[in-house]
Amino acid sequence: MATTGKSKTKETSPSKTVKVYKGWCKRCGICVAFCPRQALETDKDGYPSLKDPRGCDGCGWCELMCPDFAIVVEDAKS
Amino acid sequence: MPNGRHIIYDYLRTTKRFPHMWCPGCGLGTFLGAFLRAVDKSGYTKDQIVLISGIGCSGRISTYADFNTLHTTHGRALTFATGIKLTKPGLKVIVIMGDGDATAIGGNHFIHAARRNLDITAIVINNSVYGMTGGQVSPETPLDVRTTTSPYGNVESPFDICKLAEAAGAAFVARSTVYHVKLMERLIGRAIDRKGFDVLEIISQCPVQYGRRVGLKSPVEMLQWQKDHAVTQEKARGMSEEDLKDKIRIGALVDNEAPTYQEKLDAMKQSFKGVE
Ligand SMILES: Cc1ncc(C[n+]2csc(CCOP(=O)(O)OP(=O)(O)O)c2C)c(N)n1
Ligand code: SF4
Ligand code: SF4
């Protein structure tokens, strides 16, 4: 599985993508509020989006916390 | 469905309507994710697992997860689980209940399942209230809280689910909050791996029927509350009872080996062999 495999890159990699599936997202705001690197922001419609891919270190927390299975962090660390 | 190669999507019954029925920011979805990852790591196949739930928002978990599932009556999930475990001991039986389900209408079944040390994993999702039916007081609602059925404040002291389980004889007792998502996943995994009656209390957020009644205006505020009030066992050891008063102890609280109901029954059967 892509998301369970241990990432070998220790440094923040600019290739991380946080995919938000808007069809399932209920805009609860949890991911934006708790991202340890404040890498997410709320777009004009209230959905989360990545401010700058370099801000995300792929920790995967947003994916684990999302109550709606609406976030997939590609190449997440955990 | 989100298009990611992700274990969660292998275990969700995506023939059901998604997004799921839970309110925005409800802790149940985060719990379900942790639960599915823990099951995936446990090595059990979908067919080896029976997931049994009662009625309530938490009861809906059995609808969404792709195992052998039983969505039973309110408060009676453990009775169905007892029957299944005794007739099909080879199956891994996991029960998910709300706090009302487990400690109000189902309280009697809860203590007796623990006393028997049945080989069942019992998970209680405690959101301090009856979520599904509109925020009525539950045996887990803290004192003084105003709910739809305690409009002037709750005058009944809540149970400590973990202490109740321990006193009733549960072999393994643990607690996590939804905020501590990785701990929650590890404890679910530990409970599944063990034999005997395992109780896992999950402190979860019901933003719609509970949070707004106690001044926590959003799911984010409720998770922050969990973060601020949880203390690990290690940390709790260095704290006074006074300091621990409004805190939630998280981690494994009890971990004992004891013969299970099934083992005792088997031993009894053995003892009858050769008797005329
Ligand atoms: C025998 C019976 N009594 C009452 C009900 C109504 N009822 C449905 S869910 C529920 C309580 C739900 O609270 P809880 O178990 O804490 O689960 P939650 O919805 O908070 O997850 C009640 C009283 C019922 N379905 N069956
Ligand atoms: S993966 Fe971690 S750092 Fe990246 S957006 Fe999600 S929570 Fe933030
Ligand atoms: S009523 Fe509460 S427990 Fe039920 S889905 Fe909504 S937030 Fe969750």
Side-chain angles (χ1 to χ4, degrees):
Chain A
M1 303 297 155
T3 48
T4 52
K6 295 261 183 308
S7 166
K8 295 235 163 53
T9 32
K10 284 223 177 74
E11 301 302 307
T12 300
S13 145
S15 65
K16 302 282 183 270
T17 28
V18 177
K19 286 196 175 161
V20 178
Y21 181 64
K22 290 188 183 172
W24 284 17
C25 174
K26 292 179 188 152
R27 298 180 281 188
C28 67
I30 290 173
C31 54
V32 176
F34 290 104
C35 165
R37 297 177 65 99
Q38 281 100 49
L40 296 167
E41 62 186 354
T42 308
D43 74 12
K44 63 175 185 2
D45 299 317
Y47 293 102
S49 77
L50 206 53
K51 278 188 223 166
D52 172 359
R54 281 168 302 186
C56 166
D57 70 351
C59 71
W61 207 86
C62 52
E63 180 183 301
L64 301 185
M65 282 307 288
C66 176
D68 283 271
F69 316 110
I71 299 187
V72 174
V73 182
E74 306 235 304
D75 210 13
K77 282 178 187 164
S78 55
Chain B
M1 194 172 55
N3 121 50
R5 280 179 299 144
H6 192 301
I7 52 167
I8 296 292
Y9 306 119
D10 294 339
Y11 288 92
L12 287 179
R13 281 189 181 137
T14 43
T15 49
K16 301 290 170 188
R17 192 183 300 162
F18 277 89
H20 55 54
M21 52 88 64
W22 298 312
C23 308
C26 173
L28 286 164
T30 306
F31 164 79
L32 177 57
F35 176 74
L36 296 177
R37 286 190 299 275
V39 168
D40 186 69
K41 285 184 188 147
S42 76
Y44 284 100
T45 65
K46 287 183 186 180
D47 286 342
Q48 289 171 321
I49 289 184
V50 189
L51 186 66
I52 303 168
S53 67
I55 300 293
C57 298
S58 43
R60 287 298 283 258
I61 284 179
S62 62
T63 317
Y64 293 122
D66 188 19
F67 304 106
N68 300 297
T69 57
L70 216 57
H71 193 177
T72 69
T73 50
H74 191 38
R76 305 293 184 259
L78 279 167
T79 63
F80 288 84
T82 302
I84 290 174
K85 188 69 202 177
L86 292 182
T87 46
K88 297 263 182 207
L91 292 172
K92 187 77 202 170
V93 179
I94 305 171
V95 176
I96 295 179
M97 299 166 283
D99 49 302
D101 213 17
T103 63
I105 189 168
N108 197 35
H109 302 301
F110 183 69
I111 54 175
H112 290 287
R115 180 173 70 85
R116 291 179 182 135
N117 199 23
L118 286 153
D119 195 5
I120 289 172
T121 302
I123 303 176
V124 185
I125 308 201
N126 181 358
N127 58 13
S128 309
V129 81
Y130 290 180
M132 177 165 266
T133 43
Q136 293 84 356
V137 75
S138 107
E140 297 308 315
T141 308
L143 276 174
D144 301 329
V145 170
R146 291 165 192 251
T147 69
T148 44
T149 47
S150 59
Y152 305 109
N154 180 23
V155 290
E156 301 178 358
S157 298
F159 279 133
D160 179 324
I161 292 179
C162 291
K163 283 189 181 158
L164 181 68
E166 180 182 3
F172 179 78
V173 181
R175 187 191 283 122
S176 180
T177 73
V178 166
Y179 176 83
H180 297 84
V181 63
K182 290 188 179 175
L183 173 73
M184 173 162 69
E185 182 183 323
R186 281 200 304 279
L187 291 174
I188 298 167
R190 246 176 101 176
I192 291 175
D193 277 348
R194 293 181 89 274
K195 67 178 171 75
F197 194 72
D198 316 304
V199 174
L200 189 55
E201 179 187 8
I202 305 292
I203 305 295
S204 183
Q205 73 275 12
C206 170
V208 173
Q209 300 295 0
Y210 187 74
R212 58 195 179 89
R213 295 181 210 271
V214 290
L216 299 168
K217 292 188 203 73
S218 66
V220 169
E221 285 186 27
M222 295 193 81
L223 284 168
Q224 188 64 46
W225 183 91
Q226 292 174 13
K227 182 182 179 191
D228 295 342
H229 287 79
V231 285
T232 59
Q233 284 293 83
E234 296 72 48
K235 209 167 155 203
R237 264 179 222 119
M239 290 169 72
S240 68
E241 278 303 314
E242 187 58 29
D243 290 341
L244 282 168
K245 244 185 180 161
D246 68 333
K247 297 285 187 285
I248 307 162
R249 288 175 193 235
I250 56 171
L253 310 176
V254 176
D255 191 349
N256 291 330
E257 285 297 323
T260 65
Y261 187 85
Q262 194 69 37
E263 286 168 346
K264 285 183 278 187
L265 218 56
D266 289 345
M268 185 190 279
K269 277 188 207 156
Q270 281 297 326
S271 73
F272 293 153
K273 282 206 174 135
V275 176
E276 291 296 306

